[in-house]
Amino acid sequence: MASDRDAGVPDVTVVVAVYNTMPYLTDCLNSLVGQSIGPDRMEVVAVDDGSTDGSGAELDRFAAEHPDVITVLRQANSGGPAAPSNRALDVATGRYVYFVGADDHLGPEALERMVTAADEWGSDVLVGKMEGVNGRAVRRPELFAENRPEIDLYDSVLPWVLSNCKLFRRELVERHKLRFHEHMRIGSDQPFTLEACVRARRISVLADYTCYYAVLRDDGGNITQGAVDVHTRLECAESLFGVVADLIEPGPKRDAILRRHTRWELTMPTREGFLELDRATQEDVCARIGTLVERYVTDEVLFTLPIVRRARLRLAQLGEVDLLCEAIRDGVAERSYLIALKGGRTYLAYQGFEDPRPELADDLFEITKGMRKRLSQEARTVAVRPDRDTVEITVRTPLTGPEAGDPATVRLALAPRGGGETLDLDEHTTREAREDGLHVTARIPAALTAASGKHRHALRLIVRAAGETHDITVPVGASVVPGPRGELFWHRARPYRLAVAGDDRHGTMIETRPVRPAQAVAQRVRRVTSLGGR
């Protein structure tokens, strides 16, 4: 689309909002003046937002060396990047505009490649590949799996990548009078980016070249997530939800955007910092979260969240401050919750479970999809008691509820290593409900494993629930000492040695190995002699 280019009009205006970003600012500016697109096709508008660390002087130095490229504007500190970004937009002249964090930098060919691709594809918004530097994570890297001339905002991971580090067609920005929300102390780039994407004729991804390097500062100064107070977080969430509601009608498209804001911005105030607030502030936080949930968060959105996050939002919505605090404290302590089997389905016995209020209905706590993972994490062999021709093994499961005691639902089995018929242990099994879950004890006759002809059997826990069968290995608990080697027993006139072993890979193992008769007789003689000597 070379016809779009007018003589004297730069292809791209790069906007840099600057506040105390030395020494990272130097790398940023060097990456800009060294762009392969050339000085005649770009301009840089840098706005010093009241820096006090020498950033202003560094801007002046680069502007003096590159007067045809860099323009420096100054203003009193505004408290965030929104105001300086707006001021730069007011003077931008490029066909496209691109925003760069003052502590980040670009690949040498970034602007040239992005402008070329946007012209070729007719892109109103183009996302260039991003990489993290110094340990900084880039959210949703799968977005950059391949070049995509066109992507759908509502059917992609783009709603999770709403930073303004993108190439925007300036005609789109000015036609819709897009500007940053200056009242938002954090997250002001998200409404700008979202509206641009909603109104864009085409959104594209350039993935075959790393355009943007996002740098984690050594002092963490560019990462505000840990330092932002709860009021600022709530203000951000309220603004974001309001913007989405104004832009998109209720329905699947709005839900596709709000899934991100619900999972991230709305749940942040229900994390550990909530415990440090005074009671009145906790109640206010819950009330404001509740308002957002009731207004905007459909069940389709709520139930895409991990169970802990959705349960905490519901507790906040109901004003259950004490239960919410208990849940957060348990989360900090990494408490394990039981899995309740009820009506053929599986639920996490989290705070509020079995509360009669409809807002806390069972389906809020359902964990059908996460059942196997939780079983694998929580089930453990907690006791091993070998006897001469039997071994008693107790497995603690995280299961509760009357259905947990049903042999058709929960059972133990032995699976021979190397393949073969699985040995069901139900006729040798007892079950006991305890506070820490269902304990299943199997008293396993050694002859059972010897008769199978296999030397090693892995203990398996089999749970049938929610129409699925979960068959997992049973790890050995830290407090369990496997049975001593060398317990002899006889089966069909042949001697065997019975032992219990265990490791992280294979879990609890029953070993039944044949012994040469001479060895068995010698061991029996030694035992008799030892008993007689006492």
Side-chain angles (χ1 to χ4, degrees):
M1 296 180 67
S3 59
D4 287 351
R5 297 174 182 168
D6 296 325
V9 176
D11 282 329
V12 59
T13 299
V14 180
V15 173
V16 189
V18 180
Y19 177 70
N20 289 355
T21 55
M22 289 295 290
Y24 305 94
L25 177 61
T26 303
D27 288 341
C28 176
L29 296 175
N30 276 326
S31 78
L32 297 181
V33 298
Q35 285 294 301
S36 63
I37 198 170
D40 59 326
R41 295 178 58 192
M42 64 176 288
E43 67 176 2
V44 176
V45 180
V47 182
D48 181 8
D49 196 41
S51 296
T52 60
D53 71 338
S55 293
E58 188 72 342
L59 289 173
D60 289 340
R61 182 173 76 85
F62 271 83
E65 294 176 2
H66 307 276
D68 296 333
V69 176
I70 298 179
T71 299
V72 178
L73 306 178
R74 284 191 167 77
Q75 63 184 35
N77 182 253
S78 64
S85 297
N86 285 340
R87 189 171 177 195
L89 281 176
D90 290 341
V91 302
T93 62
R95 294 189 300 119
Y96 297 98
V97 61
Y98 190 77
F99 299 89
V100 178
D103 29 33
D104 302 327
H105 56 269
L106 303 186
E109 301 175 20
L111 296 179
E112 183 178 19
R113 285 173 176 261
M114 287 190 291
V115 168
T116 298
D119 283 344
E120 178 182 344
W121 295 335
S123 314
D124 282 338
V125 178
L126 183 140
V127 191
K129 182 179 180 181
M130 303 176 69
E131 287 188 11
V133 177
N134 199 29
R136 185 168 179 179
V138 171
R139 190 171 295 173
R140 299 291 184 168
E142 63 268 31
L143 179 65
F144 307 113
E146 60 181 352
N147 284 350
R148 299 179 65 183
E150 186 168 12
I151 63 170
D152 188 332
L153 171 64
Y154 309 103
D155 189 26
S156 70
V157 297
L158 187 58
W160 294 86
V161 192
L162 289 180
S163 73
N164 63 346
C165 305
K166 298 170 176 60
L167 190 74
F168 300 92
R169 190 177 296 274
R170 197 168 66 83
E171 185 274 331
L172 172 80
V173 172
E174 295 307 320
R175 174 159 40 98
H176 294 287
K177 299 179 172 58
L178 303 185
R179 290 298 186 268
F180 294 84
H181 292 214
E182 296 185 14
H183 69 280
M184 294 180 66
R185 288 177 280 176
I186 61 171
S188 61
D189 56 343
Q190 294 189 49
F192 178 94
T193 304
L194 176 62
E195 185 167 1
C197 290
V198 168
R199 302 195 183 282
R201 293 167 300 177
R202 174 170 290 183
I203 307 168
S204 307
V205 175
L206 180 68
D208 61 1
Y209 180 80
T210 300
C211 299
Y212 195 100
Y213 292 89
V215 179
L216 176 63
R217 286 166 50 166
D218 292 334
D219 62 358
N222 54 347
I223 304 297
T224 59
Q225 297 303 322
V228 179
D229 65 86
V230 68
H231 300 290
T232 300
R233 291 195 185 283
L234 283 170
E235 290 167 2
C236 173
E238 289 163 346
S239 295
L240 290 172
F241 277 82
V243 167
V244 174
D246 289 342
L247 281 173
I248 308 171
E249 292 292 323
K253 288 185 175 181
R254 180 191 284 187
D255 286 349
I257 305 301
L258 288 185
R259 276 198 290 270
R260 175 256 163 87
H261 297 312
T262 301
R263 182 166 183 159
W264 188 250
E265 283 84 9
L266 192 55
T267 63
M268 286 293 286
T270 67
R271 299 187 186 182
E272 187 173 348
F274 185 85
L275 301 174
E276 301 172 4
L277 306 175
D278 60 64
R279 182 71 178 203
T281 303
Q282 289 177 337
E283 291 174 351
D284 178 62
V285 168
C286 287
R288 292 168 71 176
I289 289 175
T291 297
L292 292 175
V293 172
E294 290 166 10
R295 247 182 226 174
Y296 304 115
V297 182
T298 63
D299 283 349
E300 287 74 16
V301 171
L302 187 67
F303 282 85
T304 63
L305 301 182
I307 180 172
V308 167
R309 296 194 186 191
R310 70 178 183 244
R312 289 187 186 182
L313 285 185
R314 189 69 91 199
L315 293 175
Q317 179 187 5
L318 295 173
E320 289 288 354
V321 175
D322 291 334
L323 277 180
L324 180 56
C325 286
E326 180 184 313
I328 295 171
R329 281 192 292 269
D330 284 349
V332 172
E334 298 182 347
R335 170 192 165 183
S336 298
Y337 290 88
L338 296 181
I339 299 171
L341 303 180
K342 183 178 178 182
R345 308 199 73 77
T346 59
Y347 307 92
L348 192 68
Y350 198 75
Q351 278 82 2
F353 180 63
E354 295 188 338
D355 187 293
R357 284 173 289 184
E359 296 89 349
L360 292 169
D362 287 347
D363 57 355
L364 183 74
F365 303 91
E366 187 167 357
I367 58 167
T368 299
K369 291 183 178 180
M371 175 73 168
R372 179 182 176 81
K373 180 179 179 180
R374 289 183 180 273
L375 277 175
S376 298
Q377 291 173 337
E378 301 293 337
R380 289 288 184 273
T381 294
V382 295
V384 174
R385 304 177 187 86
D387 200 357
R388 314 227 8 218
D389 58 356
T390 62
V391 59
E392 184 178 284
I393 295 179
T394 299
V395 176
R396 178 259 173 190
T397 79
L399 304 172
T400 187
E403 294 178 23
D406 184 350
T409 303
V410 181
R411 61 201 307 129
L412 294 177
L414 290 176
R417 292 298 312 279
E421 184 179 356
T422 297
L423 306 177
D424 186 86
L425 299 177
D426 193 54
E427 65 177 285
H428 308 287
T429 300
T430 58
R431 299 165 179 82
E432 180 184 2
R434 298 187 185 179
E435 288 187 2
D436 64 343
L438 179 72
H439 286 233
V440 185
T441 300
R443 188 169 175 81
I444 306 167
L448 182 68
T449 57
S452 73
K454 300 289 184 177
H455 297 329
R456 303 183 76 195
H457 291 76
L459 185 64
R460 312 289 298 184
L461 172 66
I462 301 172
V463 179
R464 296 184 176 93
E468 298 183 9
T469 298
H470 306 279
D471 184 341
I472 66 168
T473 59
V474 184
V476 177
S479 62
V480 174
V481 178
R485 299 183 66 85
E487 294 291 339
L488 285 174
F489 71 96
W490 292 76
H491 175 66
R492 294 180 180 176
R494 291 193 62 188
Y496 292 83
R497 178 178 291 120
L498 173 66
V500 179
D503 57 45
D504 292 339
R505 181 181 178 186
H506 301 115
T508 306
M509 304 289 299
I510 308 296
E511 296 185 349
T512 308
R513 294 187 179 275
V515 178
R516 286 184 298 175
Q519 289 181 321
V521 171
Q523 182 166 331
R524 178 172 291 183
V525 169
R526 286 196 298 271
R527 176 174 294 179
V528 171
T529 302
S530 174
L531 292 175
R534 292 176 186 170

